[in-house]
Amino acid sequence: MRSNTQSRVWLITGCSSGFGRELALAAVAAGDRVMATARRPETLTALAEQGQGRISTAALDVTDPASITAAVKETLTTYGRIDVLVNNAGSLVLGAVEEFTMAELRQQLEVVFFGAAEVTKAVVPLMREQGSGRIVQMSSLGGRKTYPAFGAYHAAKWALEGFSETLASELAPHGVRVLIVEPGAFRTEFNNNKHVTAELDAYRDTAGATRRFTVELTDAEPNDPVKGAAAILAAIDSDRPPLRLLLGSDAVDGLREHHAALLAEVSEWESVSRSTAMTE
Ligand code: NDP
C-alpha cells in the first residue's frame, strides 16, 4: 500500500456502476486515492464505504459544466492534485440513423463526446503545469469498428478517439500520457441503461438484428469489468504504456477482422487511389 505522499489521486466520472466503480476499487487496492463522481452522488454511498477511507465522492454530470468545475475544485480541495483522470461516464442510444432524432443524436454526443471533452479540458491545465498525469478515455471497440444501430454511439466514440489521439501527441512533451481504452462487451449496467429509439420495419434485418442481439447479450456479456479495471491499471503502470488498449477477446478478434478488411480494400482500390497525381 502506497503512503499518502506516494499515492496517486484519481478523478473518475460515472462511478455509480460498472467500470467506474471497479476502477475506483482497483485504484484503492493499489494504494491510491479516488474522487469518485456520479450525477446522482447518493449512488456512491456503498462504494465510499468500501473505500477504506480512500474514496471521496462528488456530484458530476458530464453534461453540466458547472458540476464539472465544482467536482474538479472539490478534488483539489480534498487531495491537492489530480494524477489520473478517467473519462468513464457513458450511455448508449440504439437505433438506425433514420430512426433516431437529431435530439437523440445530440444527447449521445453530449454525454460521450462533449462531456468527456469538457472534463478533459478542465483537468489538462493542471496536469500540464504539474508536468505529469494520465488521462484515460473510455472509448470502445465501437470507437474503431461499426455495427448497424450504433451510429449515434459510434459518432460519439469515433470523435472521442480522434480528439484523444491528438491530445496524446500534444501532451506527450509535457509528461502527460493519454490511454484510450476499447472494451468489447462487458457485464455492467451498460446494456440495461440503453435508450432504444423509435423503430422502423425497414431496418428489421439490420438495426433490428443488432437490437435483438443486445437483448440476448444483456447479463450474458463475455467480459468481467473487475478484470477490465485490473488491465487498465496494468497499462497505466507499464514502463511502455500503449496509446490504445483493447479489452476482451471479442475486441481483439473484432478489430483484427476489421483491419484486415480495411487493408484488403486499400489494396483492391490502390491503383485508382494512386491515379490522381498531377501530370507534370
Ligand atoms: P454502466 O452503465 O454500468 O456505467 C455508465 C456510467 O456512466 C454510470 O455510472 C452512469 O451513471 C454514468 N453516466 C451516464 N450519463 C452520465 C452523465 N451525463 N454524467 C455523468 N455520468 C453519467 O456502463 P459501463 O461501466 O459499461 O460504461 C463505462 C464506459 O465503458 C462507457 O463510456 C461505455 O461507453 C464504455 N464501454 C462499455 C462497454 C460494455 O460492454 N459495458 C463496451 C465498450 C465501452 P447513472 O447511474 O447516473 O446513469
Side-chain angles (χ1 to χ4, degrees):
M1 179 76 74
R2 296 184 180 102
S3 69
N4 275 0
T5 48
Q6 296 167 319
S7 77
R8 292 172 299 198
V9 173
W10 295 56
L11 171 61
I12 310 176
T13 65
C15 290
S16 69
S17 60
F19 276 113
R21 187 193 134 75
E22 298 310 334
L23 276 166
L25 292 172
V28 166
D32 290 341
R33 292 169 294 163
V34 177
M35 180 59 81
T37 69
R39 53 185 169 173
R40 293 169 294 133
E42 65 275 17
T43 59
L44 302 173
T45 309
L47 177 62
E49 280 166 12
Q50 281 180 271
Q52 305 163 34
R54 286 171 169 257
I55 297 181
S56 300
T57 62
L60 197 167
D61 181 333
V62 299
T63 64
D64 173 4
S67 85
I68 296 173
T69 307
V72 169
K73 195 170 165 202
E74 198 166 334
T75 311
L76 295 178
T77 304
T78 307
Y79 296 125
R81 54 189 291 129
I82 299 172
D83 300 298
V84 185
L85 165 66
V86 187
N87 277 304
N88 167 72
S91 58
L92 171 62
V93 171
L94 194 67
V97 169
E98 191 182 340
E99 292 170 334
F100 59 66
T101 63
M102 282 307 293
E104 286 168 324
L105 176 61
R106 287 182 204 282
Q107 179 56 26
Q108 178 76 97
L109 271 285
E110 282 300 335
V111 176
V112 168
F113 177 60
F114 290 113
E118 188 138 9
V119 177
T120 301
K121 282 180 66 61
V123 172
V124 159
L126 307 170
M127 290 185 170
R128 182 179 48 71
E129 277 162 27
Q130 76 195 13
S132 66
R134 299 278 181 274
I135 299 174
V136 179
Q137 308 287 40
M138 291 300 287
S139 177
S140 170
L141 171 62
R144 286 208 277 167
K145 179 176 162 69
T146 66
Y147 301 88
F150 276 88
Y153 184 74
H154 292 318
K157 291 293 192 189
W158 283 51
L160 182 64
E161 293 253 350
F163 173 93
S164 303
E165 186 174 309
T166 309
L167 183 71
S169 62
E170 293 164 354
L171 288 181
H174 299 286
V176 181
R177 288 203 164 117
V178 176
L179 175 68
I180 302 169
V181 180
E182 297 170 328
F186 275 71
R187 209 165 300 174
T188 65
E189 293 307 311
F190 188 66
N191 253 315
N192 288 322
N193 290 340
K194 68 179 174 288
H195 168 75
V196 180
T197 70
E199 299 174 24
L200 294 174
D201 197 47
Y203 296 99
R204 189 169 10 106
D205 297 333
T206 50
T210 307
R211 264 190 292 267
R212 291 190 291 281
F213 179 66
T214 63
V215 171
E216 279 167 36
L217 195 64
T218 303
D219 298 327
E221 296 90 344
N223 294 297
D224 179 349
V226 175
K227 293 179 181 171
I232 292 167
L233 259 84
I236 291 176
D237 289 337
S238 164
D239 293 337
R240 295 181 58 239
L243 172 60
R244 288 186 167 82
L245 177 68
L246 290 161
L247 291 180
S249 295
D250 53 343
V252 173
D253 294 342
L255 193 73
R256 277 232 170 91
E257 186 186 294
H258 177 56
H259 276 200
L262 279 180
L263 285 177
E265 191 173 78
V266 169
S267 299
E268 191 181 342
W269 285 86
E270 185 167 357
S271 61
V272 176
S273 300
R274 290 189 188 280
S275 68
T276 58
M278 295 286 282
T279 310
E280 297 299 339

